[in-house]
């Protein structure tokens, strides 16, 4: 598992899909801004000294704004305001440029329109480009034949880009699901869990938000596989995952840790709160009769619980939960055990099971 606590400068979490997306958009916006500066500054300088002062007055503020945007992107990273600023300002400047120079400068609108699909979502990009097309037709063009040709070509480009962006977004979503979803149980996998643990670690460091992990292991699952076969055993795993999901809250997330082990990451949850949640999970599985009563009616889970501590890695928290799980196994299984040292001053017990279950199993 990737260490979550301390990351050397410049080290990136390769499992964080959102972070990767933000980094990608930052790079794209930097390229767009740098291109606008590289191409706009020579034109603005030329018109300032030898050409039209009006064109220079249009281009120079745009170049200056892009310089500040570029600096902001490098120093602070991605933000939506910067994306909208680049998209709207560039295409607006090109409309004024066409108004000043004439229809021969309309090709700059194509470049700005394509760039908008790189720095904005596809729907806002289509909206900005459509408004730009209408403004150019109303304010800058006077030849009806050219207007028809321009609108047709601009519309085709936007349709192609919109369709490609939609397909690319769909494929990216499918790839993210493949990377973060367990193919058997359809709960999160360890990649997704690492991402979540990184987030809760950051929230704990910044806001002191508590977080707890609940490690679940199916008791005597080998007997289920030997009795029903591995195919039916996989179905049992899926049904147990569904059972656990029905007990979780919106702030909880379930991940398959490996084999017949699952982990619940309970965000904004203390150890004592998580112990009640874990007991509810244990009870729900114990009460489940299943489709194969001979094999599933006796199915139980052992659970270990640990809360994140200051100055420790999330790996260490999971190790403590694993130790608590081992203790639950050694006590005879079908128990919830948790780290008694963490809240010992509150008189917490380090194992729990309802009295009804104890009487039933005793």
């Amino acid at each position: 598992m990737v260490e979550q606590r301390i990351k050397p400068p410049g080290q990136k979490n390769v499992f964080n899909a959102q972070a990767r997306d933000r980094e990608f958009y930052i790079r794209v916006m930097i390229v767009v801004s740098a291109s606008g500066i590289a191409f706009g500054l020579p034109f603005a300088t030329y018109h300032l000294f030898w050409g039209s002062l009006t064109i220079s007055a249009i281009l120079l503020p745009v170049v200056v704004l892009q310089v500040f945007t570029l600096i902001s992107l490098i120093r602070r990273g991605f933000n939506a305001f910067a994306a909208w600023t680049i998209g709207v300002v560039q295409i607006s400047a090109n409309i004024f440029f066409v108004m000043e120079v004439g229809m021969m400068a309309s090709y700059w609108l194509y470049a700005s329109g394509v760039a908008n699909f790189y720095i904005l979502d596809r729907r806002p990009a289509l909206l900005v480009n459509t408004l730009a097309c209408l403004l150019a037709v109303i304010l800058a063009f006077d030849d009806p034949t050219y207007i028809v040709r321009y609108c047709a070509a601009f519309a085709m480009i936007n349709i192609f880009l919109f369709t490609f962006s939609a397909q690319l977004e769909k494929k990216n979503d499918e790839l993210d699901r493949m990377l973060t979803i367990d193919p058997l149980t359809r709960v999160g996998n360890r990649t997704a869990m690492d991402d979540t643990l990184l987030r809760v670690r950051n929230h704990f460091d910044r806001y002191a938000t508590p977080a707890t992990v609940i490690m679940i292991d199916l008791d005597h699952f080998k007997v289920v596989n030997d009795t029903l076969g591995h195919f039916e055993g996989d179905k049992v795993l899926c049904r147990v995952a569904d059972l656990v999901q029905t007990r979780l809250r919106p702030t909880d997330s379930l991940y398959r840790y490996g084999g017949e082990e699952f982990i619940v990451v309970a965000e904004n949850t203390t150890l004592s709160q998580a112990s009640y949640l874990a007991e509810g999970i244990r009870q729900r599985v114990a009460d489940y009769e299943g489709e194969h009563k001979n094999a599933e009616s006796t199915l139980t889970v052992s659970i270990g619980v640990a809360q994140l501590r200051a100055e420790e890695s999330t790996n260490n928290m999971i190790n403590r939960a694993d130790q608590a799980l081992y203790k639950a196994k050694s006590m005879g299984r079908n128990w919830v055990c948790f780290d008694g040292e963490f809240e010992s001053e509150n008189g917490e017990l380090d194992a729990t099971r309802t009295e009804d279950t104890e009487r039933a199993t005793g």
Side-chain angles (χ1 to χ4, degrees):
M1 185 183 302
V2 177
E3 177 67 32
Q4 304 285 357
R5 179 66 184 100
I6 300 175
K7 304 175 80 66
Q11 183 176 344
K12 300 173 183 177
N13 179 15
V14 297
F15 299 130
N16 193 326
Q18 292 182 346
R20 291 200 310 270
D21 290 342
R22 291 176 68 87
E23 291 174 3
F24 170 76
Y25 284 117
I26 290 172
R27 290 195 295 267
V28 168
M29 290 171 62
I30 288 175
V31 170
V32 172
S33 296
S35 299
I37 296 169
F39 288 100
L41 185 58
F43 280 98
T45 304
Y46 171 82
H47 285 286
L48 179 63
F49 294 102
W50 301 286
S52 169
L53 291 177
T54 302
I55 295 177
S56 180
I58 295 172
L59 292 179
L60 278 177
V62 174
V63 171
V64 171
L65 181 61
Q66 288 184 328
V67 169
F68 282 106
T69 302
L70 181 61
I71 294 174
S72 175
L73 287 170
I74 295 174
R75 289 185 175 181
R76 301 181 180 180
F78 173 82
N79 64 80
F81 178 76
W84 277 95
T85 299
I86 295 174
V88 173
V89 169
Q90 281 195 160
I91 206 159
S92 300
N94 286 330
I95 291 175
F96 284 110
F97 189 49
V98 174
M99 291 173 61
E100 181 65 21
V101 176
M103 292 182 295
M104 291 298 296
S106 61
Y107 42 78
W108 290 107
L109 291 173
Y110 294 107
S112 297
V114 172
N116 283 341
F117 276 94
Y118 281 89
I119 60 178
L120 298 173
D121 290 336
R122 66 179 188 276
R123 292 183 180 85
L126 182 63
L127 175 62
V128 171
N129 288 350
T130 301
L131 293 176
C133 180
L134 293 175
L135 290 174
V137 168
I138 295 172
L139 301 176
F141 299 152
D142 52 13
D143 185 350
T145 303
Y146 186 84
I147 289 175
V148 172
R149 292 174 179 174
Y150 167 78
C151 290
F154 199 68
M156 288 181 63
I157 290 175
N158 278 270
I159 291 172
F160 293 155
L161 288 172
F162 185 89
T163 304
F164 176 77
S165 297
Q167 291 297 318
L168 183 61
E169 181 178 331
K170 181 180 178 181
K171 293 299 181 182
N172 285 338
D173 290 341
E174 291 177 357
L175 287 174
D176 284 341
R177 285 194 294 271
M178 291 174 63
L179 287 172
T180 58
I181 299 298
D182 177 63
L184 175 62
T185 60
R186 309 307 298 172
V187 301
N189 60 15
R190 292 183 65 167
T191 297
M193 185 186 73
D194 288 338
D195 196 14
T196 300
L197 289 175
L198 175 64
R199 186 181 69 252
V200 300
R201 174 78 252 181
N202 291 337
H203 283 189
F204 180 85
D205 290 339
R206 187 169 184 178
Y207 307 111
T209 305
T212 306
V213 293
I214 301 171
M215 182 174 285
I216 306 167
D217 185 80
L218 276 66
D219 297 327
H220 301 298
F221 186 68
K222 184 178 183 302
V223 176
V224 176
N225 277 333
D226 293 342
T227 304
L228 303 177
H230 288 280
F231 181 76
E232 291 296 328
D234 288 345
K235 290 184 178 180
V236 173
L237 275 179
C238 294
R239 286 193 285 270
V240 170
D242 291 340
L243 276 177
V244 175
Q245 288 273 39
T246 60
R247 182 59 183 84
L248 300 184
R249 305 160 302 178
T251 55
D252 305 325
S253 48
L254 177 63
Y255 307 94
R256 188 182 180 191
Y257 192 60
E260 62 269 20
E261 285 187 328
F262 296 88
I263 283 183
V264 174
V265 179
E267 302 182 41
N268 197 21
T269 304
T270 64
L271 186 67
S272 58
Q273 293 169 336
S275 66
Y276 289 106
L277 175 61
E279 171 60 16
I281 293 172
R282 187 204 62 78
Q283 186 71 58
R284 186 159 299 194
V285 175
D287 292 341
Y288 179 67
E289 294 185 356
E291 297 181 6
H292 305 276
K293 292 186 178 182
N294 292 335
E296 291 186 72
S297 60
T298 59
L299 185 65
T300 60
V301 293
S302 298
I303 299 178
V305 187
Q307 180 177 343
L308 183 63
R309 298 173 177 174
E311 304 302 328
E312 78 164 349
S313 67
T314 52
N315 280 348
N316 190 64
M317 174 177 59
I318 290 179
N319 287 337
R320 291 191 291 108
D322 192 31
Q323 292 170 6
L325 174 62
Y326 178 80
K327 183 175 182 179
K329 292 284 190 181
S330 65
M331 293 176 63
R333 295 178 171 81
N334 195 23
W335 280 90
V336 175
C337 292
F338 51 94
D339 185 14
E341 296 179 3
F342 189 80
E343 296 187 2
S344 58
E345 67 273 13
N346 296 329
E348 298 282 359
L349 296 176
D350 61 352
T352 180
R353 188 164 67 176
T354 62
E355 294 181 1
D356 290 341
T357 304
E358 290 186 68
R359 285 195 294 267
T361 59

